Amino acid sequence: MNRKLVVKLCLLNFGIAIVNIFAFSNAFMGIMLGEDTAIKRAFGYTILLMSVILFFYGNYRFLHSKEAQYEFSIQDLHKPEDMIEVLTELLNKNILNNEINTTKNQISRLLKKKESLKNIIYIKFKEEDEDAYGLKDVIGKVENLLFSNVKSIINAISVFDQQEFTQINQKGNAEKHAVYMEQVNYIREKVNDNETILLEFDKLLMQLSKLSDGTQADSDDLAVFKDVVNNMKQLL
């Protein structure tokens, strides 16, 4: 839900509350439905009735307006948390819900792996060794690749029309169905690409954990470690 809509909803409900406080509070009009004059009672009941109608009708109209559709710009999705939030809002595409949840999970997994890598790197290597292997640079680039895939997934899902896709299936329109399935397959390919990236992170973590403690690594383990780093570079 976008912020503009939230502000409108807050103003609507706050306004309803203020009108009722003004009408029924002893500090203002102090209408008492059971004891006041017929005119005041009628006025009080009218306020209550209009408040109920306005509350349900107003909130319904706002929540079902075009503004209620989640608005975002791909260019503004800089933080992982923002991407997860948008993906959560997009969880209404039945055929793609599994991919949406998987993508959210992939973001969380990457953040955990990055934190583990950060801790291990500083334990296993001197700062100059880290620079020599280009490890920090390649991790950053591969991370950006995963997030680029996430943005592509979000972009594709946001334009996917679940209702029309369902209607096409019911009518048996093979040509249109093929177009939609091409979009679905594109999204699934990006999700699979991210799984490949995460697998390389797992390999890197495993190999780092095998290296000797301290700053001097065993030559065999170090050779395998360099191969893992080179494999990550090939993803770019």
Side-chain angles (χ1 to χ4, degrees):
M1 189 182 297
N2 61 66
R3 293 178 182 177
K4 187 177 179 181
L5 179 60
V6 171
V7 171
K8 287 185 176 182
L9 286 169
C10 289
L11 288 175
L12 171 66
N13 292 291
F14 182 72
I16 293 172
I18 290 297
V19 169
N20 280 271
I21 290 172
F22 182 80
F24 299 105
S25 172
N26 291 328
F28 299 101
M29 294 184 66
I31 296 175
M32 301 179 68
L33 296 177
E35 301 177 10
D36 266 321
T37 62
I39 294 178
K40 277 194 171 184
R41 289 201 305 271
F43 184 64
Y45 282 119
T46 300
I47 290 176
L48 283 177
L49 179 62
M50 293 304 297
S51 295
V52 171
I53 292 173
L54 188 59
F55 174 81
F56 286 104
Y57 179 76
N59 281 280
Y60 176 84
R61 285 298 299 269
F62 278 139
L63 290 172
H64 289 80
S65 67
K66 290 184 178 180
E67 285 183 311
Q69 303 300 316
Y70 193 80
E71 296 178 356
F72 64 91
S73 171
I74 291 293
Q75 289 74 19
D76 294 335
L77 297 180
H78 302 300
K79 299 179 180 178
E81 295 79 10
D82 295 334
M83 299 179 193
I84 291 175
E85 182 180 355
V86 172
L87 286 164
T88 301
E89 292 288 341
L90 291 172
L91 266 174
N92 60 352
K93 314 286 177 90
N94 296 340
I95 191 175
L96 294 170
N97 281 350
N98 182 60
E99 284 69 27
I100 294 172
N101 284 320
T102 299
T103 303
K104 289 170 60 179
N105 180 260
Q106 287 173 337
I107 296 172
S108 300
R109 286 158 59 198
L110 176 66
L111 296 178
K112 290 179 181 178
K113 294 179 196 303
K114 267 189 61 184
E115 189 62 29
S116 298
L117 279 170
K118 179 180 177 182
N119 294 333
I120 296 176
I121 286 170
Y122 286 106
I123 293 173
K124 301 293 184 182
F125 297 104
K126 291 180 179 178
E127 187 175 349
E128 58 268 22
D129 287 333
E130 181 191 337
D131 291 337
Y133 301 132
L135 186 55
K136 185 176 181 180
D137 181 62
V138 73
I139 287 174
K141 288 181 178 178
V142 174
E143 173 192 4
N144 289 337
L145 176 59
L146 185 141
F147 286 135
S148 177
N149 287 340
V150 170
K151 290 180 181 180
S152 296
I153 291 168
I154 290 173
N155 204 35
I157 292 174
S158 66
V159 298
F160 185 87
D161 192 328
Q162 174 68 47
Q163 183 176 1
E164 184 173 359
F165 178 73
T166 302
Q167 291 174 350
I168 289 170
N169 284 342
Q170 291 173 348
K171 293 178 181 179
N173 190 319
E175 185 176 358
K176 288 187 176 181
H177 181 269
V179 172
Y180 270 88
M181 286 310 301
E182 183 178 351
Q183 191 175 7
V184 170
N185 290 332
Y186 169 79
I187 293 168
R188 288 172 177 171
E189 285 175 8
K190 289 296 182 181
V191 172
N192 289 334
D193 288 345
N194 281 349
E195 283 299 324
T196 300
I197 291 172
L198 290 169
L199 178 60
E200 291 301 322
F201 270 101
D202 285 332
K203 291 178 181 178
L204 182 60
L205 274 167
M206 181 180 67
Q207 199 56 43
L208 277 169
S209 67
K210 287 182 179 180
L211 297 179
S212 304
D213 290 334
T215 59
Q216 186 64 39
D218 294 336
S219 58
D220 291 341
D221 288 336
L222 192 55
V224 177
F225 166 72
K226 289 180 179 179
D227 287 339
V228 172
V229 176
N230 288 331
N231 288 338
M232 293 189 76
K233 290 179 180 179
Q234 291 176 10
L235 293 172
L236 303 174

